[in-house]
Amino acid sequence: MKNVLAMLLAGAMVCTLTAGCSGKPSGAASGGGGTTAGGDETYTIKVGLILTTDDPQSIMIQKMADNLKETSDGRIDMQVYYNSELGSNADLLETISRGANTMVWLDPAALSDYAPSYAAMYAPYTYDDPSQIQTIAYSEVGDAFYEEAAAAGLCAVNRMGAYFGTRHCLANKVLATPADFKGVNFRVPSTELWVKTFEALGANPTNIAFSEAYSALSQGVADGIESPFATLYANKFHEAVKELTLTQHFIAPNGLIMSQEYFESMPEDLQTMLTDACMRFNDEETKAQIDSDDTYKQKLIDEGVNIHEADVEALTEACKDVPNKFTWGSTYYPQMLELLGK
């Protein structure tokens, strides 16, 4: 009996001294954040953005971070970094997949190396209006995307249900038809869906980091770039090129991605608090984006940008086979179209 008691005591001491007995990944609980005055662990989440500090999305995410810190009594400490300070989206996804206490704001197609089916949510000319994004994000199809990401170590905390804006093409010429895109060196991220979309439109897709896009446009390395009105304006791309065609090629969903491992290391009450905040963000971000569209469109006009209508029907026809170039084009995408009544 004495030997058994001694063994139990020794085991208890080992559990006290090692992180493994906590049920959390070593170092994950505090994320470098320490503890609050009440003794509860703090969870630091570093949010890496490629956007500028004055981009409306950046402002909204900082607001969410401030609110979360207050409502959690400091137990959730979201620290927002701008202008690719923490690295590119691809860099951040790699560290997140390995369990880092990091979060990134990006589009579903950017997850192609981890959860390739999520790109279906970003197929060109899929949605008729922003409300349809959440129709997909909160459906059984959206659940399947979420689970695929989780299996790869990524937690899509807001289910990719936020509206980033409707994306249009800003270039050194009008891009109203597929013929207009011919020979245009168009900046796109290094994501296969974007490359296939702009190839279908007739352009020469050029992979350039977002942080280098302004220089590329100024130096003529790229002839055009695309984004919603607010992001085009905030990054001053209109200083380099002045012709903005309302192509509407992506009614764009976006999401907040963090490590599944780190998310699960948080207490259940904080998991719920974080998830609820990110889901509320979907509605708040969508409303703010819709409300600000006309404002930023006018700001661009005031800065000398020329606005042109596109032949959206012709552009849609040019992109109709893009989904068929991916596995999800014959599986999840038809289900999405059915949910959207198409």
Side-chain angles (χ1 to χ4, degrees):
M1 180 65 70
K2 288 181 180 179
N3 289 338
V4 172
L5 180 59
M7 290 173 64
L8 290 172
L9 288 172
M13 290 177 66
V14 171
C15 272
T16 302
L17 294 172
T18 59
C21 291
S22 68
K24 297 171 182 159
S26 180
S30 67
T35 60
T36 64
D40 291 325
E41 291 169 314
T42 60
Y43 290 77
T44 300
I45 302 171
K46 298 179 179 180
V47 186
L49 304 177
I50 63 173
L51 305 172
T52 62
T53 56
D54 55 353
D55 191 289
Q57 279 72 39
S58 299
I59 295 168
M60 292 286 292
I61 290 171
Q62 182 62 64
K63 178 183 175 182
M64 181 178 68
D66 294 340
N67 289 341
L68 262 174
K69 189 167 187 177
E70 181 179 353
T71 57
S72 68
D73 294 325
R75 295 169 66 204
I76 298 177
D77 181 17
M78 293 181 72
Q79 301 172 359
V80 186
Y81 298 81
Y82 308 93
N83 297 307
S84 303
E85 184 179 350
L86 295 184
S88 68
N89 286 343
D91 294 334
L92 291 167
L93 279 176
E94 183 177 351
T95 60
I96 288 169
S97 69
R98 296 201 303 261
N101 60 316
T102 310
M103 180 180 283
V104 64
W105 164 249
L106 41 63
D107 67 80
L111 301 177
S112 57
D113 288 340
Y114 303 89
S117 298
Y118 242 135
M121 283 190 66
Y122 218 74
Y125 297 107
T126 293
Y127 308 106
D128 296 323
D129 64 74
S131 68
Q132 293 182 330
I133 291 171
Q134 291 188 16
T135 299
I136 302 302
Y138 302 158
S139 69
E140 290 185 2
V141 176
D143 290 344
F145 298 155
Y146 178 89
E147 293 300 330
E148 184 179 345
L154 306 178
C155 179
V157 199
N158 73 330
R159 316 286 291 212
M160 287 288 173
Y163 170 56
F164 183 69
T166 298
R167 305 183 77 108
H168 308 288
C169 292
L170 180 67
N172 57 9
K173 61 177 289 191
V174 181
L175 300 173
T177 69
D180 296 328
F181 277 90
K182 188 175 181 180
V184 174
N185 294 321
F186 208 92
R187 181 271 164 187
V188 296
S190 55
T191 303
E192 191 176 5
L193 176 63
W194 293 68
V195 172
K196 296 298 185 186
T197 297
F198 278 85
E199 285 178 345
L201 289 170
N204 299 325
T206 304
N207 297 144
I208 297 171
F210 191 78
S211 59
E212 300 171 6
Y214 182 93
S215 296
L217 290 169
S218 299
Q219 297 168 10
V221 175
D223 301 317
I225 192 168
E226 53 74 68
S227 266
F229 296 131
T231 300
L232 292 172
Y233 181 81
N235 289 275
K236 303 184 186 300
F237 296 135
H238 58 280
E239 294 179 352
V241 287
K242 297 287 187 182
E243 308 304 323
L244 178 58
T245 310
L246 306 183
T247 50
Q248 308 172 54
H249 50 281
F250 296 134
I251 293 180
N254 249 52
L256 293 159
I257 300 292
M258 67 181 295
S259 162
Q260 184 72 24
E261 180 182 15
Y262 189 77
F263 179 78
E264 291 178 355
S265 80
M266 301 172 70
E268 288 187 11
D269 65 321
L270 295 189
Q271 290 182 24
T272 299
M273 195 175 296
L274 177 59
T275 300
D276 288 349
C278 290
M279 296 295 274
R280 285 195 303 273
F281 174 82
N282 286 349
D283 294 332
E284 294 166 0
E285 159 68 13
T286 297
K287 183 179 185 304
Q289 188 69 45
I290 292 171
D291 290 348
S292 68
D293 261 4
D294 287 342
T295 298
Y296 283 97
K297 180 180 178 182
Q298 188 59 50
K299 285 178 180 288
L300 289 166
I301 292 171
D302 293 343
E303 293 285 335
V305 170
N306 304 309
I307 306 292
H308 310 277
E309 295 295 331
D311 185 344
V312 174
E313 184 175 348
L315 298 179
T316 302
E317 179 67 17
C319 292
K320 69 177 183 179
D321 288 331
V322 170
N324 297 329
K325 299 180 184 298
F326 302 89
T327 301
W328 49 260
S330 59
T331 55
Y332 293 116
Y333 194 64
Q335 296 176 48
M336 286 173 52
L337 295 180
E338 184 176 355
L339 285 168
L340 298 176
K342 295 188 173 185

